[in-house]
Amino acid sequence: MGAVRLGLNLEFARYENGSFDWAMDRAADIGYKYVEPMVHWGRELLSEAGYFHSRSMLDDPLILKEAAESRDLQISSLSSHAPLAKPDIAVDYLKQSIRYAAECGAPMIQVDDGPVPTWTTEEENYGLMRYTLQEAAYVAERRGIAIAIETHGPYTATPAALDLLLKLVNSPALTVNLDTGNSFLSENDPHEWLENIVANVTHVHAKDISLADAAKYRGKIRGMLGCTCGEGVIDWERIVRTLAAADHDVVLSVECGSLDAATKSYHYLSEVIQRVGAPALQPSAIAKESS
């Protein structure tokens, strides 16, 4: 059986005007053992001033590692999204984020498929994405870092589309970060989708969509921050049961829009995991598995 443990994507801090350290403190205070920080290239004014949670990859990656360890946290992944069909942006950025992940102790990075250039054909986009993923995979394979492709954009909007994207490059580094909320918004059944591909899912964005947002946005957008887990459309018992039956460990990384939702989601999902009987994931299990 796979082990399921709760993590927190630090994007909740965006609506709280919270810094990286503030977000890390709140994650630890709530009780999470895993966090998913965002990293960026260069310097960004709001982050430097403490109003945004992302960290610059110009900083020493050991700062990020020590920030987690000092709070008894593990890094489940780095949020390293870059447009795959824009290799002039994505290739060097992803290579850097992979090297950064290896040094800070993250077993994987998150990527997605959009936005795409305005002037290219679909065939050209597949060629561009293949180039980007292959260049990133060369770097990831040598370091034992997974590249988890998130269900987010036009080329990951359906099971068939995601499968085609994954087959562009033959690499063990390519895995899946299934985002339950995004998958639902793209008019899929995320529970069934997860059940069909769980063998290749290394990370899950635990995102719920409220009934009001589901009625308003489903089929119109492919991504948004979620509501409190348990207050929306996702059947979390089914999700946890699927992950617990897998032969590998996965972190459910809560992605929501507020500190209150992050807190309530932790308590709700903790109870679901305990009720379903999923074994607790030891803090070092993911890092060992990826080494």
Side-chain angles (χ1 to χ4, degrees), residues 133-134 136-138 140-141 145 147 166-175 200:
L133 288 172
Q134 183 63 80
Y138 285 140
E141 288 174 11
I145 301 297
I147 300 171
L166 288 168
K167 289 178 177 176
L168 291 177
V169 174
N170 182 19
S171 171
L174 295 187
T175 65
N200 200 33

Side-chain angles (χ1 to χ4, degrees), residues 22-32 71 73 259 263 266-267:
W22 178 88
M24 294 283 278
D25 285 339
R26 301 291 79 74
D29 290 344
I30 293 168
Y32 287 100
R71 297 170 171 89
L73 296 169
L259 177 60
T263 303
Y266 173 81
H267 293 295

Side-chain angles (χ1 to χ4, degrees), residues 203-230:
H203 202 263
V204 171
H205 274 170
K207 182 186 294 181
D208 217 337
I209 303 298
S210 70
L211 296 177
D213 284 341
K216 184 176 181 180
Y217 295 118
R218 195 178 194 202
K220 298 177 182 178
I221 63 174
R222 297 190 180 95
M224 62 184 296
L225 289 181
C227 66
T228 298
C229 291

Side-chain angles (χ1 to χ4, degrees), residues 67-103:
E69 290 177 345
S70 67
R71 297 170 171 89
D72 195 27
L73 296 169
Q74 291 277 326
I75 302 170
S76 68
S77 181
L78 294 182
S79 182
S80 306
H81 294 276
L84 295 179
K86 296 182 179 181
D88 55 319
I89 299 173
V91 170
D92 286 336
Y93 171 79
L94 292 178
K95 287 180 178 180
Q96 176 63 25
S97 67
I98 291 164
R99 293 191 294 267
Y100 200 87
E103 283 205 59

Side-chain angles (χ1 to χ4, degrees), residues 100-112:
Y100 200 87
E103 283 205 59
C104 76
M108 70 190 78
I109 66 167
Q110 307 293 333
V111 301
D112 69 70

Side-chain angles (χ1 to χ4, degrees), residues 225-246:
L225 289 181
C227 66
T228 298
C229 291
E231 296 183 0
V233 299
I234 301 300
D235 181 348
W236 291 107
E237 284 201 14
R238 185 173 174 184
I239 295 294
V240 171
R241 193 176 300 113
T242 299
L243 295 175

